[in-house]
Amino acid sequence: MKKNISIIGVPMDLGQTRRGVDMGPSAIRYAGIVERLEQINLEIEDLGDIEIGSRERTAGESNLKNLKAVAEASETLSSRVDEVVKQGKFPLVLGGDHSIAIGTIAGLAKNYSNMGVIWYDAHGDLNTGETSPSGNIHGMPLAVSLGLGDPALTGIGGTGTKLKPENIVIIGARSLDEGEKVLIKEKGIKVFTMHEIDRMGMTAVMEETIAYLKDRTDGVHLSLDLDGLDPHDAPGVGTPVMGGISYRESHLAMEMLEEANILTSAEFVEVNPILDERNKTASVAVALMGSLFGEKLL
Ligand SMILES: NC(=[NH2+])NCCC[C@H](N)C(=O)O
Ligand SMILES: [Mn+2]
Ligand SMILES: [Mn+2]
C-alpha cells in the first residue's frame, strides 16, 4: 500500500433524497481523520472538498434524479482522483452518497486497466434507470462502472467500461433488487452475502477475497458504504438494513486488507451526520480507516 495519502472530500447528496449526507466529509474530518492518520507515520494531505451543483428542481428527461449535477460532479472527481494517482499518491475519497463511486472509479480506470473493486455494502448498487425502484443514482454506481445505464454516467472519464465484472467482490449484501440479482448471476459477480459471512466467518471471507483479487488485478479499490455495517454500529446512514457486518468484523477486514497490502485507493461513503448519534458513524469510519492504514494497538 502506498503511504502517501491524499484526502478528497465529496459533499454530495444528490444521488439520493435524504438530506445531510453532504455533510459526511465534514463529520469525518471533525471525527479526526487527519490527526488519526498522522499518528501512523503516513504522509497525509487534505485536498479539501470538490464542488457539487445544486438539486434539480424539475425532473429531467430521464427518471434518474439530479442526473446532470451528479454527472458534472463525477467528472470533476474523476479528474481529481486521476491527478492524485498520477502523483503516486493513494486517493482516499470521503463521501457523500455512494453515487460518488462513479467518479472515483472512472478516475482510477485511467490508471488501472484491470482494476479490482471490493464493494463493502448492504446493497449491490447495480441498478440502471430500468431496474431502479427509486431513481436514486447512489443505487447505480457499480452498474455504471460496468458500462450499464445512462450514457451521461457511463461516459464519465471517457467512454468504455471501467470495470470487469469478474474483478468485483461484494461483501455484506443483504438487500438486492430483482434486476440486481439477475445482473449478478448473468455477469458472475462474486458476492459474499451476510449468509456467507455468518457461515464462513469474516476471516475466511477476507482470505478468499484477497486471494481472488491479488493475482488477477493491477490495483484494488475499496468502496466502503457505512451501511454495510449493522445499523447498531453505524446508525448515521440513509438506507440502513438490519443484520449487517459488525464493527469488530469490519476492523478485522480492514486489518487483513492492510496486511495483504493490495489496496491502491479507498472511499468511505454514506455518512449522514443528521441521522447519526453524536457523530458515531463518522467515528466508526475514522476508526476503520485507522486499521486500514496500519494502526496497531501494541
Ligand atoms: N448506496 C446506497 N446506499 N444504495 C442504496 C440503494 C437502495 C436501492 N437498491 C435503490 O436502488 O434505490
Ligand atoms: Mn448501501
Ligand atoms: Mn452503496
Side-chain angles (χ1 to χ4, degrees), residues 5-8 33 37 90-94 266-268 289 293:
I5 296 172
S6 294
I7 292 180
I8 305 170
I33 184 58
L37 296 185
F90 183 109
L92 176 59
V93 180
L94 308 179
E267 73 196 325
F268 284 71
M289 286 184 250
F293 292 107

Side-chain angles (χ1 to χ4, degrees), residues 41-77:
N41 229 355
L42 299 162
E43 275 303 317
I44 168 142
E45 63 171 348
D46 187 347
L47 300 177
D49 290 345
I50 71 160
E51 213 176 300
I52 307 295
S54 49
R55 215 159 263 275
E56 288 158 23
R57 299 204 170 273
T58 50
E61 291 137 47
S62 82
N63 61 338
L64 277 65
K65 293 176 185 147
N66 305 309
L67 176 59
K68 200 163 167 283
V70 171
E72 273 169 20
S74 304
E75 199 66 71
T76 308
L77 176 57

Side-chain angles (χ1 to χ4, degrees), residues 257-294:
L257 286 173
E258 201 271 332
E259 273 170 34
N261 201 26
I262 56 168
L263 288 193
T264 44
S265 53
E267 73 196 325
F268 284 71
V269 304
E270 297 282 347
V271 173
N272 185 330
I274 285 185
L275 303 172
D276 207 1
E277 296 161 8
R278 295 172 172 261
N279 220 27
K280 181 177 181 177
T281 306
S283 306
V284 164
V286 169
L288 295 182
M289 286 184 250
S291 293
L292 186 65
F293 292 107

